[in-house]
Amino acid sequence: FNKELKDCKIALVTTAVIHLKTQKPFDMEDPYGDPNYREIPLDASKQDLMITHDYYDHKDADKDINIVFPIDRLKEMKERGEINSISEINFGFMGHIQGCHIYTLINETAHQVAARLKELKVDAVLLTPG
């Protein structure tokens, strides 16, 4: 990988349990977590997003989603020419995955998202925790 960052298409992936308000929330009842993901379109407004998570204090992130999903910072980098483009689709995961769901995350979900990233022609991913 010898591309300069300014030539890259970047996707944002978070384990902060972010999703669109119109999407099914992540499963907070399962003690092993939720190994699924949610696609977050680049054109989604901050008001369209929410955090469904009981395992970390996200009151500040609820006020400014950029704390855990820095989409506005990526947009600013694109405007300044520091990156080429941002993926049309970005991804939200739950970071609290245990037990049997680890297998699903590694062997199914990760492969699905990797395939989507290739399909979207993403060069690099910015991963943010929750």
Side-chain angles (χ1 to χ4, degrees):
F1 186 81
N2 289 327
K3 277 189 164 187
E4 289 193 37
L5 195 56
K6 66 180 181 173
D7 297 327
C8 287
K9 182 177 191 179
I10 308 291
L12 185 53
V13 176
T14 184
T15 60
V17 195
I18 294 174
H19 58 90
L20 295 171
K21 290 177 180 176
T22 57
Q23 293 171 325
K24 180 181 176 185
F26 286 85
D27 185 352
M28 294 308 304
E29 301 296 319
D30 190 327
Y32 298 115
D34 185 337
N36 298 297
Y37 67 93
R38 305 294 184 272
E39 292 192 3
I40 303 169
L42 178 62
D43 62 359
S45 74
K46 290 184 286 188
Q47 293 75 26
D48 295 335
L49 302 175
M50 68 180 294
I51 300 170
T52 302
H53 209 313
D54 295 339
Y55 296 104
Y56 76 97
D57 179 359
H58 50 84
K59 69 177 178 250
D60 290 329
D62 289 336
K63 295 175 190 168
D64 183 2
I65 202 76
N66 283 283
I67 291 172
V68 291
F69 192 71
I71 194 67
D72 289 338
R73 304 302 77 85
L74 280 180
K75 289 176 180 177
E76 290 164 0
M77 290 176 73
K78 182 182 181 306
E79 287 174 17
R80 291 191 301 262
E82 296 170 350
I83 60 175
N84 183 40
S85 63
I86 305 166
S87 178
E88 307 81 53
I89 302 293
N90 298 281
F91 299 89
F93 284 87
M94 176 182 277
H96 171 80
I97 304 296
Q98 299 178 348
C100 59
H101 291 324
I102 292 172
Y103 177 89
T104 303
L105 181 68
I106 292 170
N107 294 293
E108 296 174 20
T109 310
H111 291 281
Q112 292 168 0
V113 172
R116 284 290 284 141
L117 291 167
K118 281 185 173 183
E119 179 182 307
L120 294 162
K121 298 183 180 358
V122 168
D123 298 302
V125 169
L126 174 61
L127 176 63
T128 62

